[in-house]
């Protein structure tokens, strides 16, 4: 008989993630059985492997008070507590759970969907298939001489400024999206658009794709329904920046180091 093997348990209660305290640090629970119990039997998703062990994700409602062993925290805050590989996997787990919760019924005929692969569902009536949807958004770091364009969106929580961002639209390339978003939000035209990097953004199901560009022409005219502030800043006079969690901050740090 095979001995049961421990699993990584990514347990969510709405937007809160269960962490376990070990040796004055935090970790995703790693054990054989589900670390908490619930009145309802949860659906368990096998999402990947981490360090050779299965990663299992589930979403249940339970009441747990913070104690010496467990902590409930939102996914963004877990970035400051978890090892990076565990945080990345927690993001994937959250996206799978969001996908499962929002695709219970077929959008074509309304029948209950059936999951037949870890990231695939099929309608038993009309055979329509559903896979996790990724919402792609761009980030644009625009350089002008020794300064960089930073903006503050009206939906930001806090006082930080970040990069121009926006969602990819049907029928356009990523580079076209970058140019359009910068023009729409700031009135500026740009050139020399080059790829920087990408980042999964599980809030709830995004992919951030970063680009570097140079200012070409125009005066800043903010799209007021989206932005409440925006300007070019030098290294010596920067506003509050986004947290290191984000690709935007990685891009800004790259610009600072490049100079």
């Amino acid at each position: 008989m095979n001995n049961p093997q421990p699993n990584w348990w990514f347990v969510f209660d709405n937007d809160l993630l269960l962490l376990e305290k070990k040796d004055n640090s935090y970790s995703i629970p790693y054990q054989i059985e589900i670390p908490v119990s619930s009145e309802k039997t949860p659906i368990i998703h096998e999402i990947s492997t981490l360090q050779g062990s299965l990663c299992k994700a589930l979403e249940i409602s339970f009441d747990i008070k913070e104690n010496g062993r467990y902590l409930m925290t939102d996914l963004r805050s877990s970035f400051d507590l978890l090892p990076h590989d565990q945080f990345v996997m927690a993001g994937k787990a959250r996206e799978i759970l969001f996908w499962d919760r929002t695709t219970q019924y077929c959008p074509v005929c309304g029948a209950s969907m059936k999951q037949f692969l870890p990231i695939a569902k099929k309608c038993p009536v009309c055979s329509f298939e559903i896979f996790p949807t990724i919402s792609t958004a761009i980030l644009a770091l625009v350089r002008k001489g020794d300064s960089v364009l930073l903006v503050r969106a009206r939906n930001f929580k806090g006082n930080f400024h970040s990069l121009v961002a926006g969602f990819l639209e049907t029928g356009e390339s990523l580079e076209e999206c970058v140019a359009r978003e910068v023009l729409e939000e700031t009135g500026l035209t740009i050139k020399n658009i080059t790829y920087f990097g990408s980042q999964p953004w599980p809030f709830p199901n995004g992919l951030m794709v970063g680009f570097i560009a140079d200012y070409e022409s125009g005066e800043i005219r903010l799209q007021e329904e989206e932005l409440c502030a925006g300007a070019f800043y030098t290294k010596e006079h920067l506003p509050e920046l986004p947290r290191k969690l984000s690709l935007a901050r990685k891009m800004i740090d790259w610009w600072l180091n490049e100079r």
Side-chain angles (χ1 to χ4, degrees), residues 84 87-88 95 134-140 163 174 194-202 206-212 244-251:
H84 181 70
F87 171 77
V88 171
E95 291 197 64
I134 305 299
S135 299
T136 304
I138 62 87
L139 291 167
L163 305 179
L174 289 166
T194 57
Y195 174 75
F196 178 87
S198 63
Q199 176 190 29
W201 194 245
L207 174 69
M208 306 301 292
V209 187
F211 289 85
I212 308 299
K244 291 187 178 293
L245 159 69
S246 67
L247 176 62
R249 178 58 182 271
K250 183 177 180 179
M251 294 171 69

Side-chain angles (χ1 to χ4, degrees), residues 9 11 17-22 25-37 62-73 81:
W9 293 97
V11 182
L17 173 64
L18 180 70
L19 305 184
E20 184 176 10
K21 188 172 183 179
K22 291 184 176 181
S25 62
Y26 285 95
S27 169
I28 295 299
Y30 181 68
Q31 57 192 64
I32 296 174
E33 301 294 336
I34 300 174
V36 293
S37 60
F62 58 94
D63 183 20
I64 181 171
K65 296 181 180 179
E66 294 184 16
N67 54 46
R69 182 177 182 184
Y70 290 122
L71 169 72
M72 297 297 297
T73 187
L81 301 173

